[in-house]
PDB file of all heavy atoms in Angstrom:
ATOM      1  N   PHE B 200     -33.589   3.611   3.205  1.00  0.00           N
ATOM      2  CA  PHE B 200     -34.120   3.809   4.533  1.00  0.00           C
ATOM      3  C   PHE B 200     -33.769   2.694   5.499  1.00  0.00           C
ATOM      4  O   PHE B 200     -33.883   2.824   6.726  1.00  0.00           O
ATOM      5  CB  PHE B 200     -35.649   4.028   4.456  1.00  0.00           C
ATOM      6  CG  PHE B 200     -36.024   5.373   3.979  1.00  0.00           C
ATOM      7  CD1 PHE B 200     -36.779   5.557   2.820  1.00  0.00           C
ATOM      8  CD2 PHE B 200     -35.567   6.543   4.612  1.00  0.00           C
ATOM      9  CE1 PHE B 200     -37.100   6.783   2.350  1.00  0.00           C
ATOM     10  CE2 PHE B 200     -35.930   7.777   4.179  1.00  0.00           C
ATOM     11  CZ  PHE B 200     -36.650   7.924   3.041  1.00  0.00           C
ATOM     12  N   THR B 201     -33.410   1.531   4.929  1.00  0.00           N
ATOM     13  CA  THR B 201     -32.986   0.404   5.839  1.00  0.00           C
ATOM     14  C   THR B 201     -31.498   0.470   6.115  1.00  0.00           C
ATOM     15  O   THR B 201     -31.003  -0.365   6.853  1.00  0.00           O
ATOM     16  CB  THR B 201     -33.380  -0.951   5.231  1.00  0.00           C
ATOM     17  OG1 THR B 201     -32.890  -1.029   3.895  1.00  0.00           O
ATOM     18  CG2 THR B 201     -34.866  -1.196   5.243  1.00  0.00           C
ATOM     19  N   SER B 202     -30.792   1.411   5.471  1.00  0.00           N
ATOM     20  CA  SER B 202     -29.359   1.511   5.711  1.00  0.00           C
ATOM     21  C   SER B 202     -29.086   2.182   7.050  1.00  0.00           C
ATOM     22  O   SER B 202     -30.018   2.711   7.686  1.00  0.00           O
ATOM     23  CB  SER B 202     -28.727   2.338   4.576  1.00  0.00           C
ATOM     24  OG  SER B 202     -29.153   3.686   4.701  1.00  0.00           O
ATOM     25  N   ARG B 203     -27.819   2.139   7.450  1.00  0.00           N
ATOM     26  CA  ARG B 203     -27.462   2.804   8.732  1.00  0.00           C
ATOM     27  C   ARG B 203     -27.848   4.268   8.699  1.00  0.00           C
ATOM     28  O   ARG B 203     -28.408   4.793   9.634  1.00  0.00           O
ATOM     29  CB  ARG B 203     -26.002   2.615   8.997  1.00  0.00           C
ATOM     30  CG  ARG B 203     -25.522   3.027  10.361  1.00  0.00           C
ATOM     31  CD  ARG B 203     -24.020   2.996  10.470  1.00  0.00           C
ATOM     32  NE  ARG B 203     -23.464   1.681  10.223  1.00  0.00           N
ATOM     33  CZ  ARG B 203     -23.348   0.733  11.165  1.00  0.00           C
ATOM     34  NH1 ARG B 203     -23.746   0.943  12.357  1.00  0.00           N
ATOM     35  NH2 ARG B 203     -22.817  -0.417  10.843  1.00  0.00           N
ATOM     36  N   TRP B 204     -27.524   4.882   7.527  1.00  0.00           N
ATOM     37  CA  TRP B 204     -27.816   6.315   7.376  1.00  0.00           C
ATOM     38  C   TRP B 204     -29.327   6.542   7.428  1.00  0.00           C
ATOM     39  O   TRP B 204     -29.823   7.472   8.098  1.00  0.00           O
ATOM     40  CB  TRP B 204     -27.242   6.778   6.030  1.00  0.00           C
ATOM     41  CG  TRP B 204     -27.485   8.282   5.812  1.00  0.00           C
ATOM     42  CD1 TRP B 204     -26.634   9.254   6.148  1.00  0.00           C
ATOM     43  CD2 TRP B 204     -28.649   8.891   5.243  1.00  0.00           C
ATOM     44  NE1 TRP B 204     -27.177  10.476   5.824  1.00  0.00           N
ATOM     45  CE2 TRP B 204     -28.422  10.273   5.253  1.00  0.00           C
ATOM     46  CE3 TRP B 204     -29.828   8.401   4.722  1.00  0.00           C
ATOM     47  CZ2 TRP B 204     -29.382  11.202   4.759  1.00  0.00           C
ATOM     48  CZ3 TRP B 204     -30.758   9.326   4.235  1.00  0.00           C
ATOM     49  CH2 TRP B 204     -30.520  10.698   4.269  1.00  0.00           C
ATOM     50  N   GLY B 205     -30.063   5.653   6.741  1.00  0.00           N
ATOM     51  CA  GLY B 205     -31.547   5.793   6.700  1.00  0.00           C
ATOM     52  C   GLY B 205     -32.153   5.625   8.084  1.00  0.00           C
ATOM     53  O   GLY B 205     -33.074   6.394   8.462  1.00  0.00           O
ATOM     54  N   ALA B 206     -31.636   4.624   8.838  1.00  0.00           N
ATOM     55  CA  ALA B 206     -32.159   4.400  10.163  1.00  0.00           C
ATOM     56  C   ALA B 206     -31.947   5.653  11.013  1.00  0.00           C
ATOM     57  O   ALA B 206     -32.815   6.091  11.787  1.00  0.00           O
ATOM     58  CB  ALA B 206     -31.459   3.193  10.786  1.00  0.00           C
ATOM     59  N   ALA B 207     -30.751   6.266  10.873  1.00  0.00           N
ATOM     60  CA  ALA B 207     -30.439   7.437  11.645  1.00  0.00           C
ATOM     61  C   ALA B 207     -31.351   8.628  11.205  1.00  0.00           C
ATOM     62  O   ALA B 207     -31.839   9.396  12.018  1.00  0.00           O
ATOM     63  CB  ALA B 207     -28.993   7.824  11.443  1.00  0.00           C
ATOM     64  N   ALA B 208     -31.514   8.735   9.899  1.00  0.00           N
ATOM     65  CA  ALA B 208     -32.391   9.809   9.369  1.00  0.00           C
ATOM     66  C   ALA B 208     -33.820   9.694   9.874  1.00  0.00           C
ATOM     67  O   ALA B 208     -34.438  10.668  10.260  1.00  0.00           O
ATOM     68  CB  ALA B 208     -32.343   9.795   7.856  1.00  0.00           C
ATOM     69  N   LEU B 209     -34.329   8.434   9.875  1.00  0.00           N
ATOM     70  CA  LEU B 209     -35.679   8.215  10.308  1.00  0.00           C
ATOM     71  C   LEU B 209     -35.795   8.504  11.781  1.00  0.00           C
ATOM     72  O   LEU B 209     -36.859   8.909  12.307  1.00  0.00           O
ATOM     73  CB  LEU B 209     -36.149   6.795  10.038  1.00  0.00           C
ATOM     74  CG  LEU B 209     -36.388   6.495   8.550  1.00  0.00           C
ATOM     75  CD1 LEU B 209     -36.838   5.029   8.396  1.00  0.00           C
ATOM     76  CD2 LEU B 209     -37.492   7.409   7.967  1.00  0.00           C
ATOM     77  N   GLY B 210     -34.719   8.245  12.499  1.00  0.00           N
ATOM     78  CA  GLY B 210     -34.721   8.519  13.939  1.00  0.00           C
ATOM     79  C   GLY B 210     -34.304   9.942  14.306  1.00  0.00           C
ATOM     80  O   GLY B 210     -34.010  10.236  15.424  1.00  0.00           O
ATOM     81  N   ARG B 211     -34.291  10.836  13.243  1.00  0.00           N
ATOM     82  CA  ARG B 211     -33.866  12.220  13.443  1.00  0.00           C
ATOM     83  C   ARG B 211     -32.438  12.330  13.981  1.00  0.00           C
ATOM     84  O   ARG B 211     -32.109  13.250  14.676  1.00  0.00           O
ATOM     85  CB  ARG B 211     -34.804  12.957  14.382  1.00  0.00           C
ATOM     86  CG  ARG B 211     -36.227  13.066  13.950  1.00  0.00           C
ATOM     87  CD  ARG B 211     -36.356  14.128  12.853  1.00  0.00           C
ATOM     88  NE  ARG B 211     -37.749  14.387  12.561  1.00  0.00           N
ATOM     89  CZ  ARG B 211     -38.429  13.783  11.566  1.00  0.00           C
ATOM     90  NH1 ARG B 211     -37.808  12.921  10.815  1.00  0.00           N
ATOM     91  NH2 ARG B 211     -39.657  14.065  11.336  1.00  0.00           N
ATOM     92  N   GLY B 212     -31.663  11.325  13.628  1.00  0.00           N
ATOM     93  CA  GLY B 212     -30.314  11.348  14.161  1.00  0.00           C
ATOM     94  C   GLY B 212     -29.298  11.988  13.257  1.00  0.00           C
ATOM     95  O   GLY B 212     -28.108  11.959  13.563  1.00  0.00           O
ATOM     96  N   VAL B 213     -29.725  12.522  12.124  1.00  0.00           N
ATOM     97  CA  VAL B 213     -28.771  13.022  11.173  1.00  0.00           C
ATOM     98  C   VAL B 213     -28.591  14.525  11.369  1.00  0.00           C
ATOM     99  O   VAL B 213     -29.542  15.253  11.519  1.00  0.00           O
ATOM    100  CB  VAL B 213     -29.317  12.797   9.753  1.00  0.00           C
ATOM    101  CG1 VAL B 213     -28.393  13.430   8.755  1.00  0.00           C
ATOM    102  CG2 VAL B 213     -29.446  11.310   9.490  1.00  0.00           C
ATOM    103  N   THR B 214     -27.375  14.915  11.472  1.00  0.00           N
ATOM    104  CA  THR B 214     -27.065  16.340  11.500  1.00  0.00           C
ATOM    105  C   THR B 214     -27.075  16.839  10.084  1.00  0.00           C
ATOM    106  O   THR B 214     -27.228  16.074   9.161  1.00  0.00           O
ATOM    107  CB  THR B 214     -25.702  16.619  12.133  1.00  0.00           C
ATOM    108  OG1 THR B 214     -24.757  15.858  11.470  1.00  0.00           O
ATOM    109  CG2 THR B 214     -25.740  16.334  13.608  1.00  0.00           C
ATOM    110  N   THR B 215     -26.939  18.121   9.935  1.00  0.00           N
ATOM    111  CA  THR B 215     -27.303  18.666   8.637  1.00  0.00           C
ATOM    112  C   THR B 215     -26.186  19.382   7.910  1.00  0.00           C
ATOM    113  O   THR B 215     -25.178  19.686   8.495  1.00  0.00           O
ATOM    114  CB  THR B 215     -28.460  19.627   8.750  1.00  0.00           C
ATOM    115  OG1 THR B 215     -28.923  19.932   7.458  1.00  0.00           O
ATOM    116  CG2 THR B 215     -28.059  20.874   9.458  1.00  0.00           C
ATOM    117  N   THR B 216     -26.453  19.657   6.661  1.00  0.00           N
ATOM    118  CA  THR B 216     -25.519  20.453   5.875  1.00  0.00           C
ATOM    119  C   THR B 216     -26.257  21.513   5.105  1.00  0.00           C
ATOM    120  O   THR B 216     -25.736  22.509   4.741  1.00  0.00           O
ATOM    121  CB  THR B 216     -24.777  19.570   4.877  1.00  0.00           C
ATOM    122  OG1 THR B 216     -25.783  18.833   4.157  1.00  0.00           O
ATOM    123  CG2 THR B 216     -23.855  18.583   5.536  1.00  0.00           C
TER     124      THR B 216
END
Side-chain angles (χ1 to χ4, degrees):
Chain B
F200 285 120
T201 51
S202 68
R203 189 188 300 275
W204 182 91
L209 287 180
R211 297 282 189 266
V213 176
T214 53
T215 191
T216 54

